[in-house]
């Protein structure tokens, strides 16, 4: 690897301390335990002799239009009337029958997808099967904690378990390929996509990325319950300037290779010079079948048209053997970048750079003309088609095109035992994801008897528990915070007040919410303890949800201040998809627990921890700033020649805040021994131990 933490000698890294709680000594042994429980699959992207002959025969028979068709990924039309008069359905069916479509995405359901596969296999000239894909990031029907939340467990094997369960449900729903995991290292909390990854540290990110790929794909990519994974977004997307989504990334090559590349290279590194034998290298690789190119420009060149990135680094240097797919319309958007003259030029640039499959844009439909006039080589087109066909073979589609499409096994038919097991896993994963940051006067755990509890806040009785990456799910069975508390407490001990909507301050500012505020204050005065449910809603996080400030919305801050004036001890429960700037009554609350987006078993898991049935064990995978303006903020920054000494001039401080000091640091959790010093020891892995 290319970053110091995995160098040949033991490296001790001192985390910047927090103003508040220190953290205990940890080591890579914690992370390695997760890897030891994994059975790393040996993925050979090569094919059997029969499949090699099949692919060779297909390449000889395919027309130019059919070759280009294999490189197109389209959204499956909405609805199920594929034999009706829908123009979009008719166009899709005609493309399938003409052998001019390689894959469809975001359409689940065995019946429809099986029929579409039948058309591809039985009615097209060459019978090449389709791939059915979807965005399934942390659960198909049973929703597990969002990726950043799960990373707070610091247990890669937990991510393996939830990804495996997700794969079982997804493949039993007529799907074969997920656009996950996102493995972008994210150092700027203004970026909305923090929730999709594993945080600010490349080593932790690599550990969880490996676990998730192995969980999705399993030990055999040809198995019916193997869900092909897609590493994204290659590469440097987490470094967009200003945390503003789709902006350019501008970084040194050293930073790129040490911070942003490692979670990807864990899967595709094939330098046998570092291994004793070829098979050893295969055994320690995770083996993701596909990689998605990023939206942003890197070094002034859009990633989707960046030959250095997609060919020199990914193929030649790292030896990736799968296929590269664009993000949604990323090739066509090179026109807006000012890098391509038009859609035809965008197709030329993308394919020539190393893209193999285009998602949704339609730009690749210009390829027949581009190949015919010599703008794109036949050799590069054939290479892209081979990459796609070999991946289909590795997925077992040539031997079993109806893999995942058996109506008798569609979820949840006959899956009662698995449903129960997945719910138990969801509860366990959610508990392990909770991070207790503060617990003054040991206010936690709460008492199940003899204590009046007011739960105040917009999400306490909301099923908004998923965050990102969930299209379907099963909201009717989501356990809210209030329901989790009601399962533990007698009704006479509990009062609930909604408070204010997540991002709406207007009602309070204009006096229209005085009744709601009065109810909240009255409940707080009645209670012995207040649970204050604050934070972000799902529409506030994810793609295209960048922010300029990390403060909680004004309405929620005003609510917190009103409750604080009652002097009732308060536990702040934060729902968040990024680190937040905490101030005033929120920061000064008796206790603070980060609850993220926990999925289906949210209420039960939080109640388990609040009442002491489970001890909070999560650690922050990101750093909470003192001020929003400190972004990007991360623990493993270089030391300054003039370190920040608060109160002294001419050093590395802001005028209004310590320079790179975090309010709550990466790796932090509330521990009972405040005298324990901060120390992180990265222990070097031998070639047989290194998690790749």
């Amino acid at each position: 690897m290319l970053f110091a933490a995995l160098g040949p000698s033991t490296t001790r890294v001192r985390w910047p301390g927090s103003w508040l709680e220190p953290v205990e000594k940890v080591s890579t042994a914690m992370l390695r335990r997760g890897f030891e429980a994994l059975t790393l699959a040996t993925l050979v992207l090569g094919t059997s002799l029969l499949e090699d002959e099949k692919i060779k025969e297909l390449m000889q028979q395919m027309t130019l239009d059919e070759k280009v068709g294999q490189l197109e990924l389209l959204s499956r039309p909405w609805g199920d009337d594929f034999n009706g008069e829908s123009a979009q359905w008719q166009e899709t069916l005609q493309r399938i029958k003409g052998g001019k479509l390689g894959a469809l995405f975001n359409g689940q359901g065995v019946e429809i997808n099986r029929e579409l596969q039948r058309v591809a296999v039985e009615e097209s000239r060459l019978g090449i099967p389709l791939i059915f894909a979807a965005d399934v990031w942390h659960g198909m029907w049973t929703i597990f904690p969002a990726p950043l939340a799960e990373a707070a467990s610091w247990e890669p094997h937990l991510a393996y378990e939830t990804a495996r369960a997700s794969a079982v449900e997804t493949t039993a729903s007529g799907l074969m390929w997920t656009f996950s995991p996102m493995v972008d290292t994210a150092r700027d909390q203004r970026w909305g996509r923090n929730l999709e990854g594993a945080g600010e540290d490349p080593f932790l990110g690599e550990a969880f990325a490996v676990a998730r790929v192995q969980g999705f794909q399993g030990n055999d990519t040809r198995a019916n319950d193997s869900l092909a994974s897609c590493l994204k977004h290659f590469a440097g997307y987490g470094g967009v300037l200003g945390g503003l989504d789709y902006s350019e990334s501008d970084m040194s090559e050293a930073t790129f290779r040490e911070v942003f590349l490692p979670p990807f290279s864990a899967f595709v590194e094939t330098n046998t010079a570092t291994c004793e034998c070829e098979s050893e290298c295969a055994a320690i690789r995770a083996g993701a079948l596909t990689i998605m190119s990023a939206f942003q420009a890197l070094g002034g060149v859009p990633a989707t048209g960046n030959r250095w990135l997609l060919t020199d680094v990914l193929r030649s240097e790292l030896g990736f053997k799968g296929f590269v797919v664009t993000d949604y319309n990323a090739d066509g958007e090179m026109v807006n970048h000012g890098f391509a003259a038009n859609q035809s030029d965008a197709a030329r640039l993308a394919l020539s750079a190393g893209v193999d499959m285009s998602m949704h844009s339609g730009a690749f439909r210009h390829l027949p003309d581009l190949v015919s006039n010599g703008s794109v080589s036949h050799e590069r087109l054939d290479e892209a088609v081979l990459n796609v066909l070999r991946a289909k073979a590795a997925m077992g589609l040539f031997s079993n095109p109806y893999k995942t499409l058996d109506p008798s096994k569609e979820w949840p038919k006959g899956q009662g035992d698995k449903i129960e097991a997945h719910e138990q896993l969801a509860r366990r994963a959610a508990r392990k994801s909770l991070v207790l940051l503060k617990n003054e006067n040991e206010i936690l755990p709460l008492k199940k008897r003899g204590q009046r509890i007011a739960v105040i806040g917009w999400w306490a009785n909301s099923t908004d528990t998923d965050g990102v990456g969930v299209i379907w799910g099963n909201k009717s069975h989501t356990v809210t915070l209030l329901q989790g508390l009601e399962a533990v407490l007698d009704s006479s001990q509990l009062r609930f007040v909604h408070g204010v909507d997540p991002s709406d301050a207007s009602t309070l500012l204009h006096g229209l919410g005085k009744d709601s505020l009065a109810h909240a204050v009255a409940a707080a005065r009645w209670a012995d303890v207040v649970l204050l449910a604050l934070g972000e809603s799902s529409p506030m996080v994810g793609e295209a949800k960048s922010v300029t400030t990390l403060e909680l919305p004004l309405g929620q801050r005003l609510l917190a201040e009103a409750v604080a004036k009652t002097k009732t001890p308060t536990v702040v429960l934060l729902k968040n998809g990024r680190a937040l700037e905490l101030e005033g009554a929120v920061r000064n609350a008796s206790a603070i627990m980060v609850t993220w987006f926990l999925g289906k078993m949210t209420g039960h898991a939080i109640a388990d921890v609040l009442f002491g049935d489970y001890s909070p064990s999560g650690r922050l995978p990101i750093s909470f700033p003192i001020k929003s303006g400190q972004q990007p903020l991360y623990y493993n920054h270089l030391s300054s020649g003039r370190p920040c000494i608060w109160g002294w001039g001419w050093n590395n401080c802001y005028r209004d805040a310590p320079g790179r000091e975090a309010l709550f640091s990466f790796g932090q959790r509330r521990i009972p021994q405040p005298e324990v010093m901060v120390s992180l020891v990265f222990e070097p892995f031998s070639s047989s131990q290194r998690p790749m």
Side-chain angles (χ1 to χ4, degrees):
M1 300 308 298
L2 298 168
F3 52 106
L6 292 181
S9 60
T10 300
T11 303
R12 293 184 180 273
V13 182
R14 174 106 179 156
W15 291 356
S18 165
W19 277 10
L20 300 176
E21 307 284 354
V23 298
E24 62 185 300
K25 182 176 179 179
V26 297
S27 74
T28 49
M30 293 174 56
L31 299 179
R32 186 182 298 138
R33 283 198 295 271
F35 284 104
E36 289 171 349
L38 298 178
T39 302
L40 294 182
T42 301
L43 173 64
V44 181
L45 282 176
T47 54
S48 69
L49 291 176
L50 287 175
E51 287 168 333
D52 283 340
E53 288 300 318
K54 173 70 173 177
I55 292 172
K56 181 179 179 181
E57 181 181 329
L58 286 173
M59 291 297 295
Q60 292 172 344
Q61 293 177 337
M62 293 170 79
T63 65
L64 182 56
D65 285 342
E66 287 171 330
K67 287 181 178 180
V68 171
Q70 284 300 304
L71 311 185
E72 186 154 28
L73 168 64
L74 295 178
S75 174
R76 199 189 84 178
W78 288 106
D80 57 5
D81 187 22
F82 55 90
N83 288 318
E85 300 302 320
S86 164
Q88 191 176 10
W89 265 118
Q90 292 307 310
E91 180 185 355
T92 300
L93 285 168
Q94 288 306 310
R95 297 193 68 80
I96 295 173
K97 290 176 182 179
K100 298 179 181 179
L101 188 60
L104 285 165
F105 71 96
N106 285 357
Q108 67 87 21
V110 168
E111 180 182 0
I112 294 177
N113 287 351
R114 184 179 179 88
E115 174 60 16
L116 294 175
Q117 190 74 299
R118 187 199 65 77
V119 173
V121 173
E122 298 182 16
E123 296 188 26
S124 70
R125 188 174 74 91
L126 297 176
I128 301 174
L130 298 166
I131 304 175
F132 297 98
D135 283 297
V136 179
W137 301 351
H138 56 108
M140 178 69 188
W141 302 109
T142 305
I143 308 304
F144 301 100
L148 184 64
E150 196 173 61
S153 72
W154 283 46
E155 293 187 21
H157 187 257
L158 182 66
Y160 169 84
E161 290 183 89
T162 59
R164 186 88 290 272
S166 298
V168 168
E169 294 186 8
T170 305
T171 53
S173 302
L175 298 167
M176 307 163 177
W177 178 27
T178 179
F179 305 131
S180 184
M182 189 195 91
V183 299
D184 297 302
T185 305
R187 292 174 150 188
D188 194 323
Q189 300 305 310
R190 294 172 295 183
W191 191 44
R193 304 195 77 165
N194 274 274
L195 184 59
E196 299 175 33
E200 68 186 56
D201 180 71
F203 179 61
L204 187 67
E206 179 181 340
F208 275 86
V210 169
R212 285 173 178 142
V213 166
Q214 291 301 321
F216 285 133
Q217 296 190 169
N219 293 329
D220 180 4
T221 58
R222 298 168 188 266
N224 287 338
D225 64 356
S226 176
L227 185 65
S229 64
C230 183
L231 300 174
K232 62 183 188 183
H233 307 83
F234 197 77
Y237 185 34
V240 289
L241 295 182
L244 182 59
D245 214 350
Y246 314 127
S247 293
E248 71 273 20
S249 297
D250 191 4
M251 63 188 72
S252 68
E253 187 172 346
T255 296
F256 172 74
R257 291 182 177 276
E258 293 179 3
V259 176
F260 295 97
L261 192 59
F264 290 96
S265 60
F267 299 89
V268 297
E269 189 173 9
T270 58
N271 182 5
T272 56
T274 63
C275 303
E276 295 178 3
C277 63
E278 179 74 24
S279 62
E280 181 188 3
C281 279
I284 62 176
R285 289 199 305 271
L289 278 169
T290 67
I291 280 181
M292 182 181 290
S293 67
F295 281 120
Q296 97 294 349
L298 178 68
V301 179
T304 299
N306 194 321
R307 182 174 174 79
W308 172 80
L309 184 65
L310 298 180
T311 297
D312 295 349
V313 175
L314 182 60
R315 299 287 187 186
S316 301
E317 203 175 302
L318 300 178
F320 178 61
K321 303 299 183 184
F323 72 80
V324 176
V325 62
T326 71
D327 207 331
Y328 190 94
N329 198 37
D331 47 353
E333 290 171 9
M334 287 195 288
V335 176
N336 292 338
H337 277 282
F339 191 69
N342 49 44
Q343 292 289 300
S344 175
D345 195 33
R348 176 186 67 82
L349 290 166
L351 190 75
S352 299
V355 167
D356 300 310
M357 182 178 281
S358 171
M359 185 192 295
H360 188 74
S361 74
F364 272 24
R365 296 177 192 179
H366 293 280
L367 287 178
D369 289 340
L370 291 169
V371 172
S372 297
N373 66 29
S375 299
V376 171
S377 70
H378 284 277
E379 292 76 15
R380 173 63 194 118
L381 176 66
D382 284 352
E383 180 184 65
V385 177
L386 278 170
N387 288 337
V388 172
L389 294 180
R390 284 170 178 161
K392 289 185 176 183
M395 293 170 66
L397 291 178
F398 286 120
S399 58
N400 181 17
Y402 297 103
K403 161 188 171 175
T404 80
L405 299 174
D406 184 346
S408 69
K409 297 179 180 178
E410 185 170 14
W411 192 270
K413 294 177 182 176
Q415 306 285 354
D417 291 345
K418 288 181 180 178
I419 291 172
E420 183 178 353
H422 291 183
E423 289 181 350
Q424 292 174 356
L425 174 59
R427 186 168 183 167
R428 176 160 56 91
R431 288 192 308 229
K432 288 176 176 287
S433 301
L434 292 165
V435 183
L436 181 62
L437 295 178
K438 185 180 180 183
N439 190 21
E440 288 183 355
N441 301 318
E442 302 302 321
I443 187 175
L444 296 176
L446 301 177
K447 300 174 184 178
K448 295 182 180 180
R449 298 291 181 270
Q451 192 174 50
R452 294 174 299 185
I453 299 173
V455 56
I456 301 170
W458 68 268
W459 63 267
N461 199 31
S462 169
T463 57
D464 181 5
T465 59
D466 300 340
V468 294
V470 176
I471 299 176
W472 296 285
N474 191 341
K475 287 292 186 183
S476 63
H477 291 89
T478 296
V479 180
T480 68
L481 171 60
L482 185 60
Q483 290 171 334
L485 297 172
E486 289 173 337
V488 175
L489 299 172
D490 184 87
S491 60
S492 64
Q493 295 176 254
L494 187 65
R495 287 189 183 179
F496 164 63
V497 177
H498 179 273
V500 297
D501 290 333
S503 59
D504 181 20
S506 61
T507 55
L508 287 178
L509 291 176
H510 295 92
L512 300 177
K514 287 183 178 179
D515 288 343
S516 179
L517 196 60
H519 288 313
V521 170
R525 287 176 175 157
W526 166 85
D528 298 312
V529 176
V530 172
L531 298 179
L532 194 55
L534 306 175
E536 299 175 294
S537 62
S538 291
M540 297 168 69
V541 297
E543 185 176 343
K545 300 299 190 299
S546 298
V547 294
T548 58
T549 178
L550 301 175
E551 295 175 307
L552 284 167
L554 178 58
Q556 296 190 57
R557 284 182 278 141
L558 293 174
L559 175 63
E561 296 297 334
V563 169
K565 290 178 181 178
T566 68
K567 305 298 183 183
T568 303
T570 299
V571 178
V572 169
L573 301 175
L574 288 176
K575 178 187 291 293
N576 52 305
R578 67 185 104 213
L580 299 173
E581 177 186 340
L582 308 180
E583 57 186 352
V586 177
R587 178 170 165 178
N588 296 327
S590 304
I592 302 173
M593 184 183 292
V594 179
T595 73
W596 317 102
F597 288 83
L598 296 177
K600 180 174 183 176
M601 302 302 283
T602 292
H604 287 324
I606 295 175
D608 288 343
V609 172
L610 287 176
F611 292 100
D613 296 321
Y614 184 86
S615 180
S617 58
R619 301 171 180 272
L620 289 179
I622 49 178
S623 298
F624 275 59
I626 297 167
K627 294 287 186 179
S628 300
Q630 291 176 282
Q631 298 301 309
L633 180 68
Y634 44 93
Y635 84 96
N636 53 348
H637 58 76
L638 296 177
S639 298
S640 169
R642 293 187 173 186
C644 178
I645 303 174
W646 186 245
W648 294 79
W650 311 108
N651 57 33
N652 193 218
C653 296
Y654 292 102
R655 287 187 60 201
D656 55 351
R660 294 182 174 181
E661 197 79 23
L663 179 64
F664 298 109
S665 301
F666 169 88
Q668 188 161 345
R669 66 175 179 181
R670 169 65 166 79
I671 58 172
Q673 298 88 9
E675 71 277 4
V676 176
M677 295 302 294
V678 178
S679 178
L680 175 64
V681 180
F682 283 105
E683 301 167 359
F685 288 93
S686 69
S687 60
S688 63
Q689 294 174 318
R690 283 178 64 187
M692 297 294 291

